[in-house]
Every structure is written in structure tokens, then in C-alpha cells.
Amino acid sequence: MRRGRLRVYLGAAPGVGKTYAMLAEAHRRLERGTDIAVALVEHHDRPRTRTLLRGLEEIPRTTLTHRGAAFHEMDVAAVLARRPAVALVDELAHSNVPGSRHAKRWQDVDELLDAGIDVVTTVNIQHLESLGDVVAPITGVRQRETVPDAVVRGADQIELVDMAPEALRRRLAHGNVYAPERVDAALAHYFRPGNLTALRELALLWVADRVDEYLRRYRVEHDIHSTWQARERIVVGLTGGPEGRALIRRAARLAEKGAGGEVMAVYVARGDGLRAASPRELTAQRDLVEDLGGTYHHVRGDDIPDALLEFARSANATQVVLGVSRRRPWEYALGPGISTQVAREAGPDLDVHLVTHDRMGKGRGLPAVRGARLGRARLAAGRAVGVLDPAALAAVLRGLGLEVGLANDVLLFLSLVVTAALLGGLWPALASAALGSLLLNWYFTAPSHTLGVTGAHNLLALVVFFGVAVSVASVVDLAARRTHQAARLRAESEILAFLAGGVLRGETGLGELLTRVGRTFATESVALWEREGTRGRFTLVASGGGDQPERPEDADVDVPVGERLALTLHGRVLPAEDRRVLAAFAAQAATVLDHQRLRADARAARGLAEGNRIRTALLAAVSHDLRTPLAAIKAGVTSLRAPDVDWPREDREELLASVEEGADRLNQLVDNLLDASRLQTDTVRPVVRATALDEVVPAALAQVPEGRVATRVPESLPIVPLDAGLLERALANIVENAVKYSPPDRPVLLSASAVPGWVELRVVDRGPGVPDDAKERVFEPFQRHGDAPRGGGVGLGLAVARGFVEAMGGTLTAEDTPGGGLTMVLRLATAPPGEEPDGQQPPPW
């Protein structure tokens, strides 16, 4: 079965004409012969809307009662039974009355769509779930009835019903929207011109985004790569240089000139990873473009111009903003710059803006020296190899009189350059190359001991040596730095993966997380601070490690987390490059703290909910079950005191018996309530003594009508350490419950037997029994199976019985009776051989 199609009429505010447009569409379809029916339309007593309802079939609504009032809701079952081709359903975001088929009307609509029925519906922009926080400050009204954006976005057709604010206010003033007595208040509050203009803009932009999404999908489906200039989209090409901020601001100014313009900043990283921009600068540029309302994108590509143009065309961009190249004039001999290639290959449908800046033509500069990462010993070794080893090699070759030829001399000095690069980085290698070329010229090329060179081949050998030495040094240093960077990033990723996984799975507590922070960054102590408000004093929330400073300002590292939290480290100052991972730890620490507090709030809420449930049940019990015996007592006493009636002896005895029975019943109910309260507050303290069960059972059955219980309690049962009073009360409650549900002609069986280490009491009834999934619920307070027991009772008997039995170290469970019914199994441990339990202490188990 195909799913039905959904058509949505979207409005900016009530009264713009959504329902009117929907009904007009219904009449057009009806004239074309479409089977259409009105599932639910709210006309709000508007004359024109009521007029349009004429001639349309209306499916009767269902009536529901809630809190004494009658409500009319859409009858989903009736609509499904009628099964029209198209159903009209007004006010998609409406919340149904409790007791309805679904909680929300959009869920009703979803069921109709699943049944293959097309639906036409209406909704206002302020009812979209994602816009709730945006609409509330505008209108001053928090929308409680919302519909998920995905429901409206998933519609097959969305039609905007638009009306100028002035026109809508005129409709309101003419009484076409609300009753006359409500018009003045509406015009002065919700329907102010500014409110309506803002809501109208929200609706237009939301629909524009929906149209843009549809257009993008259409271009992909039809493999369209050329730019359709339906909307200004400006792509900014970033290199990670400082000129990127100026380019972003320039693109933002261009976007402001066209309504609905969009800025997309793009950084293209080479696939080989040999050139990388400053992460700090890229982060600053990303923050800037997002602050200006644009988006940031990071893509990979071996050919930067091709990757940039491919992104621009896939995003249907209309303009590309690039900075003028930073290349020096002589560098253009090596090939055209990126901006030149993009401008040449953009084509006629993509405008390219080249923006001047203060860094153009100044070159990229030398790569930053990062030798400090290599360690002092390694730097010293690199410098020694770069400066001392070339001189030592020259001395050895000259002192031993070795004539190995200029080519071999060049290779020997080149090996020293490579060694210096591996040990000390770029600068020791460059020093080794420069010194080696001078020594080769002075000692090993004719004429020796002069800086002059004779022979083109000697000059070429020196030039090639120096060029190769510099190139090899650069490549080796770059590879070493990339290896170091990759290792660091791998370590960071492992740390962050562990951190995220542990926090998401709930395995990492706040103290454990702070301890791991201290171990990761080798600090003495870590602390999380919180302050009240935005200017209050910080207080320590949690810590890990040694002593903490008295204030966050006294720590060596202070990382703010929002406006109220701060993570501090004491014992070591961290380099700037470590703060990125530390910021992730700080954010996760705040998340863990929130989770801990939410769990505590949830536990407190569960406790309050349980308390409320018990109080509600108690009120229900007091209002019903306790009134029954009170009513019997009151009726009996009132009748006996009537001065105008002379009761016969038999009637007086009967009335007194009913009063006594009611008093006993009331006393039992009050005792159960008090016992349940004692169990809830954990104030039950059993007085354990060695007791024979055949002494307790008769007392427990004293209030049971004769003939309703058959007992099989052998006198040979072992002595059991227990509180006789608690066991008597527990057994009385269990037996009373069994008698209540067992047929009058089928007596309840109470039997006892001994098993190794235990004495087992079984109370067997032949009542209706209890399903397996409800066997534990019958022991909860105020639970009565089927909620319709015979006789009175507040649903506390079994709960109190289990509580008393467990207080004595026993168990009480429910089992099915073979042939039908329920069996309560009470087990108590027997006393250890040769030991008498202390009469004032609970049992030792």
C-alpha cells in the first residue's frame, strides 16, 4: 500500500487564511471528482469559513470527557473506516484530549498517511518545534502545542499562506478573525506590527530553506552541475593565512547586498598532508564566519583549484572570493597561482572576486621552527653534527691524504647534512650544508686553499651539492615534523576517544575524569570550580590529585567552561598546543557534572513521584475504603439512638454486630496503614524469639470466618526464631487476601512443612489467579489485582506482609496453584542447632 501524500498550508500567524485556502482547495478537488471528506476543520465561528464548509462531507467527531468537560476530537477510526481519497485535518500541532487515540494530532495524521489517505492540513510557523525559542521572545508567548519540524519538512507540498501585517490587522479589526471583545487585546499584544513582521520573515525564510533543499535534491537527481543563480551563495577560499579574516568580512558585505545571501568559507587541505595551515588561525576564521551567519567547510583535495570549484558548483554558489596571491613575482615562473587558476576555470556562471590585502606579494615566509619539540640533548647533537662533523671530516680526509674523488667527497659531506637534519632539524642541516660547501671548495676543488673554482664541472658539483643538501634537509625536517605531529594527533585522538566513550557510556565519574586529566598532562592536581551567577565567588566542586589552590586564579592553568565553571591545573604550565585537548576535557567534565546532577534530580524526582503516588493512593483509600466501615458504624449507631424506634432484641444485636464488624474492619485498615508507614521509614525492629508455628497460626486465623480455611500445620515442625506478632499480622493479611478471592465453596488451605534449613508456609486459594507479569506488583503498596476486590481494603495487606516477613529474614513469593488460583509461599529460616537467638536482637542472617 502506498503512503498518502501530505499537503501543508503554512501561515505566519492566526487569521492569515490557512483554513480558508485549504477549504477552497477542497472545493476545487471536489469539482474534479475527488473523493474528499472533512476529518476535522475548526471554523472558529468565522462566517466565510463556515460558508466554505457547505457542500463538503464532514465525518462526525468523537466526544471525550476530561475533568468534567466534553471535548470533540477527530475520530481517527471513523476516518479510516470511511477511507476517503483526501482528508482535511485542520491545526496539525493540536494536542488531543487525554484518552484519545494519540497524544498529538500530527500522530493521527501520520496514521492516516500510513493507511494510504492523502491529507491536507494547516499549521502556523510558531508551532514548529525548532522555532519555539525564537518565537517566544518575539511574541512573549511560549507555544505549548508544537509539531516536529521533520513532520512538516517531510510534506510532499508546502504552500505559504502570506498576508501583509497591515492587512491582517485590518482583518482583525473588522471582526473576521476573533470576536469583537477580543480584538483590542489581540491588536495590542500578539498582533503588533513588529510581531507580525518578524513572524512573517521567519515563515518566508523557513519556506525558502525548504525550497532550497528541494532544488538541491533536484539538481543531484538530474546530475546538473552548472550554477542556477536562484540565490546568492558566496564561497570564500581560505589558505589559513591572516588575510582570511579580511576575505570573510568582504564576503559578508557582498552577501548583505542580496536578500538571503549565504557565505560558505572553505579550506582545502592537500591529501598528502605535507602542507598544513595554522590550526589556531583556521579556528579563529571559523569562529568569525559562524559569528557572521555563515558556515565553515573543511575538504580534502590534491588539486586545490579543482576542489574549490567542485565545492562551489555542488553548493550552487554564485560567487567565489579569493585573496590576491602571496607569491613573490619571481615565483610565478613556477606556475600560475591558485587564484589565477580558479578565475580562469570558473566559467561564465561563477563570478570570482580577487581581494587585495596587506600580505599579497610578500611570500609565505619560512616554515616555523619547531626544534624545541626535539629535546635539548637531540638539538645539541644536531648542532654538533652540523658544525663540527664537516670540519672533522675534512681534517680526516686531508690528514690521511685520502684521494677518493670529488664525487665521493660530496656524498660524504651530504651524509652529514642528512644526519644533522635527522638529529637537530632544519637549521643544523642548513649550517652543515653551508659549511660543507665551503670546505669542499677550500680543500677539494682546484685551486685548493682558495675560494676560487676552476672548471665548470667543479662549480656544477658544488652548486648541485648545496641544492641537494638544502632540499634533503628540508624534506627530512618536514617528514620528522609530520611524524611528530601524526604521533601527537594519534595520541590526542586516543585520549579523546577514551574520554568520549567513557562519558557517553556513563563509566567515567567526575573524580576519575579529573584524575585522568592530571595523569595525561603530568600535573600535581586538577580541580573543577563553579560559581553562583556570572560574578559570584568560585567554589570547589570536585578535585583530583594533591592540594588545590584557594582560587582558580592561583592555578598554573585556568580553562573556563561557559560562564559558571572553570577547570584548573596546578603544578605545571602547559604549552598552548596542549590546551585544545584540555578544552575537550573541560567540556566533558562539565558534561559529567551535569549528568551527575541530572541523575540526582532524577532519583529525587522518582522519590517524589513514588511519594505522590502513595499519597494519591492513600487519599483514594481514605476517601473510599475507610469510609465504608465508618458508614456502617455511623448507620448502626444512628439507628440505635433513634428515639422514635423501639428495636427488637434481634435487630439490636444485628445492628451492634455491624457496628463491631465495622470497627474491627476500620481498626485493621488503620493498622495496615501504620504498618506500611513503619516499613517505609524503616522503623520495624523484630523482637525475635524461638517460637513454634502451631502457636502462631491459630491467632492469625482468629478473624477468619469459620470453615473458610483448612490448616495442615504439623506439631513436629522445628522451632523457628521469629517475631510472633509480626508473623501473626503477616499471616492474617495473606489469609484474608486468599479468602477474599477464593470461592465460598472452596476453602483456603494453609499448610506448613520443613525443608533443610527452612520452614515453609503455603496459603493456597482457588481464586482467579494472577498473571506472571503481575505477581510482583501485588506486593506493592496500594495495589489490588484487577482494582476491583471483593470487600474492602486499601491494597496494603500483601505489601505489609512481605515487609514483615523480610524484616524477620524470610521471603514471601507468589506461585500459581495447580488447577487454578494463587499460592503464597512464606519461608523462614530455622534456628542453627544448639543456638538460642537473643530475644532482643534481629536474627543473625
Side-chain angles (χ1 to χ4, degrees), residues 37 89 224 290 344 349 400 419 511 600 635 776:
V89 181
I224 299 173
E290 290 177 350
R344 186 173 59 199
D349 56 351
L400 297 178
T419 304
E776 281 300 310

Side-chain angles (χ1 to χ4, degrees), residues 322-334:
L322 300 171
V324 175
S325 177
R326 285 183 285 166
R327 288 186 170 199
R328 293 186 175 90
W330 62 267
E331 291 181 285
Y332 282 97
L334 303 177

Side-chain angles (χ1 to χ4, degrees), residues 74-85:
M74 180 174 65
D75 193 339
V76 179
V79 178
L80 292 173
R82 166 62 178 80
R83 198 175 183 80

